[in-house]
Amino acid sequence: MVPNLLIEEATSIDPQEEMRRDREQLLSELQRIRDDRTEIERRRDDLIRRARQLQARTQNMRNQARDMWKKRYFEEKKLTTPLEDQANRLRDELESYHKRMVSTMTSRVKEGKNIDTPDATQQLNLRIQATRMQHEIEELQRRVDDSKMKLTAEVKLRTQAEAELRAMKAELTQRKLNLSMTRTQQMGHQMVS
């Protein structure tokens, strides 16, 4: 019977030994969980860093594109003024030619030059009126075109301003989110410590 006792003693584990093994097992599992958590936090921090880099790169590209378009806009605006001045000067010159032509025709009618019959006078008067009307129509058409062009420019500027406002609001929202995430992370790190 003595050998049976030895077998029972060998198979039965001391309760303190069992608690020690359980404790070691729990400690090793706790260490593994801590290591996993540290790895996950490191990965999360890496992802946040990469997301911020991508966001900064995107914002930089957006700013460069906006600056490029603004630069082009102002260059074209500088070119527009001299061209408008030249167009106005040419328009004034055309108008003065037109007035001279009308005054020449009118003076011929008054002087009676090259007029053989009353029908010729009436025809000349009709031509003068037609020329005046055509000139007035062209002037009105030019004004309408100028107004349309100005309206289009104003609409484009308004649309651009609205788009920039939306972009700024989105950027503000993103920065608020980043700030709250940073605060949450800081509070989380303080709780762990």
Side-chain angles (χ1 to χ4, degrees):
M1 286 254 175
V2 174
N4 267 346
L5 267 179
L6 285 175
I7 292 174
E8 283 180 20
E9 273 184 37
T11 56
S12 72
I13 300 174
D14 184 22
Q16 285 184 347
E17 181 67 26
E18 189 175 329
M19 281 178 48
R20 187 183 60 80
R21 284 184 188 165
D22 288 343
R23 183 172 176 250
E24 286 176 7
Q25 192 176 25
L26 287 174
L27 286 174
S28 68
E29 188 174 337
L30 181 62
Q31 186 60 39
R32 183 185 56 78
I33 291 171
R34 282 181 183 162
D35 292 343
D36 289 347
R37 187 178 129 251
T38 304
E39 177 64 24
I40 289 170
E41 285 179 359
R42 186 192 60 76
R43 209 175 319 154
R44 186 193 74 200
D45 290 342
D46 186 45
L47 288 173
I48 290 172
R49 182 180 47 79
R50 285 178 34 201
R52 285 183 180 158
Q53 287 174 347
L54 288 173
Q55 183 181 10
R57 189 181 315 152
T58 303
Q59 187 63 35
N60 190 23
M61 287 171 51
R62 219 182 265 152
N63 289 342
Q64 286 176 349
R66 184 189 68 227
D67 292 344
M68 179 189 67
W69 281 108
K70 279 186 179 180
K71 182 179 176 184
R72 283 185 182 176
Y73 171 76
F74 286 118
E75 286 174 357
E76 290 300 320
K77 191 173 182 182
K78 286 178 187 176
L79 294 175
T80 301
T81 305
L83 291 175
E84 284 180 349
D85 291 343
Q86 184 180 6
N88 288 335
R89 186 173 34 80
L90 290 172
R91 192 176 300 112
D92 291 341
E93 192 176 319
L94 176 66
E95 194 169 321
S96 70
Y97 285 138
H98 180 265
K99 285 180 181 178
R100 272 192 264 155
M101 183 180 73
V102 169
S103 69
T104 304
M105 292 174 119
T106 308
S107 67
R108 282 185 183 173
V109 168
K110 287 180 182 175
E111 291 174 4
K113 285 185 180 177
N114 297 332
I115 299 175
D116 297 334
T117 63
D119 286 338
T121 306
Q122 191 175 10
Q123 268 186 338
L124 193 54
N125 282 336
L126 289 175
R127 282 184 186 170
I128 292 171
Q129 284 179 348
T131 306
R132 282 184 184 159
M133 288 297 229
Q134 184 179 4
H135 182 68
E136 288 176 10
I137 289 170
E138 288 172 356
E139 181 68 20
L140 289 173
Q141 185 63 40
R142 184 188 60 77
R143 287 182 185 173
V144 167
D145 290 343
D146 286 347
S147 296
K148 283 181 181 178
M149 201 164 48
K150 287 177 182 177
L151 178 64
T152 303
E154 291 297 322
V155 167
K156 285 181 181 179
L157 286 174
R158 180 180 177 191
T159 305
Q160 182 182 2
E162 288 173 350
E164 286 181 10
L165 178 65
R166 282 192 299 273
M168 292 172 97
K169 283 182 178 181
E171 183 180 344
L172 178 64
T173 303
Q174 186 63 39
R175 286 185 179 183
K176 284 181 180 179
L177 286 172
N178 288 343
L179 182 62
S180 67
M181 280 180 37
T182 304
R183 286 181 180 166
T184 305
Q185 287 176 357
Q186 288 174 350
M187 290 176 64
H189 287 297
Q190 288 175 356
M191 289 181 164
V192 171
S193 299

